[in-house]
């Protein structure tokens, strides 16, 4: 008995169809595996990206805090400088007043000295006049 050519072709077609289905199944499994790996890689990259974004936000917050602290310190230093300048001005004013007072006292002392000198001269003149009067008597 010889097999009929139709049956042979039909079995052959079924065999080819089964091989194609198995090949498609393997390809599909590989693609699913690749897609799963790509998804895992993407999730890993997203996680890494999220971590970097969080770190960046923390760094920006620290930088802003440092800037705010620097600005606050700058204000404090400016206020301190203003207070020191006011103190310097006050001391300079007090020194100027003391200097003026010293000049006034110096002028008074010079006047007093001149007055004493004039009085001594007058007394010396009176002594000379008195001694001449006594000598002539």
């Amino acid at each position: 008995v010889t097999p009929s050519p139709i049956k042979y072709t039909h079995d052959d077609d079924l065999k080819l169809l089964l091989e194609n289905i198995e090949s498609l199944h393997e390809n599909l499994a590989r693609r699913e595996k690749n897609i799963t790996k790509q998804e895992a890689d993407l999730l890993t990259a997203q996680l890494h990206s999220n971590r970097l974004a969080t770190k960046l936000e923390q760094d920006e917050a620290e930088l802003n805090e440092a800037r705010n602290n620097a600005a606050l310190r700058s204000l404090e230093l400016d206020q301190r400088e203003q207070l020191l300048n006011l103190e310097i001005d006050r001391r300079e004013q007090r020194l100027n007043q003391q200097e003026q007072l010293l000049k006034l006292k110096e002028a008074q002392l010079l006047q007093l000295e001149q007055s004493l000198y004039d009085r001594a001269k007058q007394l010396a003149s009176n002594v000379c006049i008195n001694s001449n009067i006594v000598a002539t008597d």
Side-chain angles (χ1 to χ4, degrees):
V1 178
T2 61
S4 73
I6 296 174
K7 186 175 181 187
Y8 176 77
T9 304
H10 183 67
D11 284 345
D12 229 16
D13 286 344
L14 286 178
K15 189 175 179 183
L16 280 176
L17 185 61
L18 183 60
E19 287 174 5
N20 283 338
I21 289 173
E22 286 175 359
S23 175
L24 286 173
H25 181 68
E26 289 172 5
N27 286 340
L28 183 60
R30 268 195 304 274
R31 286 181 66 197
E32 284 177 346
K33 185 177 177 182
N34 286 342
I35 289 173
T36 302
K37 184 178 180 335
Q38 288 174 355
E39 286 174 342
D41 291 346
L42 180 61
L43 287 175
T44 301
Q46 285 176 338
L47 180 63
H48 184 66
S49 175
N50 289 343
R51 286 180 182 157
L52 289 176
T54 301
K55 177 71 172 130
L56 179 61
E57 288 174 4
Q58 289 173 348
D59 290 348
E60 286 174 346
E62 288 175 9
L63 179 61
N64 286 336
E65 184 178 356
R67 284 180 180 155
N68 290 340
N69 289 341
L72 183 61
R73 182 68 178 142
S74 178
L75 285 175
E76 290 171 355
L77 290 175
D78 287 347
Q79 288 175 345
R80 179 73 176 141
E81 182 182 12
Q82 288 174 356
L83 289 174
L84 289 173
N85 286 336
L86 287 173
E87 179 66 19
I88 289 169
D89 290 345
R90 188 181 64 76
R91 287 182 181 183
E92 284 179 350
Q93 192 175 31
R94 190 175 73 232
L95 287 174
N96 288 337
Q97 289 171 348
Q98 288 175 345
E99 185 179 13
Q100 289 173 357
L101 184 61
L102 286 174
K103 285 180 182 179
L104 181 62
K105 287 183 178 184
E106 183 181 18
Q108 289 173 345
L109 284 174
L110 287 174
Q111 255 181 347
L112 183 59
E113 184 181 14
Q114 185 64 45
S115 173
L116 289 174
Y117 176 74
D118 290 345
R119 190 167 177 206
K121 195 173 170 184
Q122 182 66 39
L123 285 174
S125 174
N126 287 343
V127 167
C128 284
I129 292 173
N130 286 341
S131 35
N132 284 340
I133 294 175
V134 171
T136 56
D137 285 340

